[in-house]
Amino acid sequence: MKVCDVMTRTVDWVGPKTTVSEVSRLMKKDDVGSIPICDNNKVIGMITDRDIVLNVIAVGKDYNTAVVQDVMSKNVVSVSSNQDVHEAADLMSQYQIRRLPVVDQDRLVGIVAIGDLAIEKIHVNEAGDALSDISQGAHQNLN
């Protein structure tokens, strides 16, 4: 099964000069914890609710003036729509991330989340293993 079979095709994204308060409202509207940052639909970063808490709120920055390019994760791991879902699960586990932007020819075409992989019964164990690896990594970071 390919990533394109399980990915979400409609994905909101923002530009690098978007304020943290604007992207936070978009996260709330979409009920998501991460948003791709794009320059002309080319993914240049990702911002998560965790990025906002650790890199804006916890250090006392003004979320109304802080821009996402200053707090986003720049080393984005992505997949293509024609990659196998097993490869996506492996990447999630390896990099301890729950969502991957789907990029074809340098353009954002969707996003695949750990939950998308768990929907397919065939991949429940693999998605569970990836989530377990991600959770263990987060727990180890707390120690």
Side-chain angles (χ1 to χ4, degrees):
M1 180 170 292
K2 302 289 183 192
V3 168
C4 63
D5 297 324
V6 297
M7 72 182 194
T8 299
R9 295 177 185 276
T10 305
V11 180
D12 282 331
W13 56 271
V14 298
K17 300 287 186 187
T18 304
T19 65
V20 170
S21 61
E22 289 174 281
V23 80
S24 297
R25 284 191 293 277
L26 185 58
M27 286 178 177
K28 181 177 180 176
K29 177 185 86 67
D30 291 348
D31 193 27
V32 297
S34 68
I35 300 281
I37 312 305
C38 297
D39 188 6
N40 292 322
N41 212 26
K42 180 179 180 180
V43 179
I44 60 169
M46 290 285 284
I47 188 163
T48 66
D49 45 10
R50 187 172 194 271
D51 292 327
I52 293 169
V53 169
L54 296 179
N55 300 324
V56 179
I57 297 168
V59 297
K61 290 183 182 176
D62 181 356
Y63 61 87
N64 289 307
T65 58
V67 292
V68 296
Q69 72 181 1
D70 295 335
V71 296
M72 70 184 187
S73 300
K74 295 176 181 151
N75 298 323
V76 179
V77 178
S78 64
V79 292
S80 71
S81 63
N82 64 356
Q83 275 185 269
D84 190 273
V85 291
H86 295 285
E87 293 176 59
D90 289 344
L91 286 170
M92 288 176 185
S93 178
Q94 179 181 352
Y95 291 98
Q96 299 186 359
I97 51 181
R98 297 171 190 257
R99 295 163 206 87
L100 295 170
V102 182
V103 177
D104 288 338
Q105 299 175 358
D106 277 342
R107 295 183 59 81
L108 179 68
V109 297
I111 198 156
V112 64
I114 194 89
D116 297 328
L117 302 180
I119 289 171
E120 294 300 319
K121 288 185 170 67
I122 239 172
H123 304 292
V124 168
N125 288 340
E126 192 169 351
D129 291 346
L131 183 57
S132 176
D133 290 345
I134 293 165
S135 297
Q136 285 177 357
H139 178 69
Q140 290 172 358
N141 290 337
L142 295 175
N143 295 328

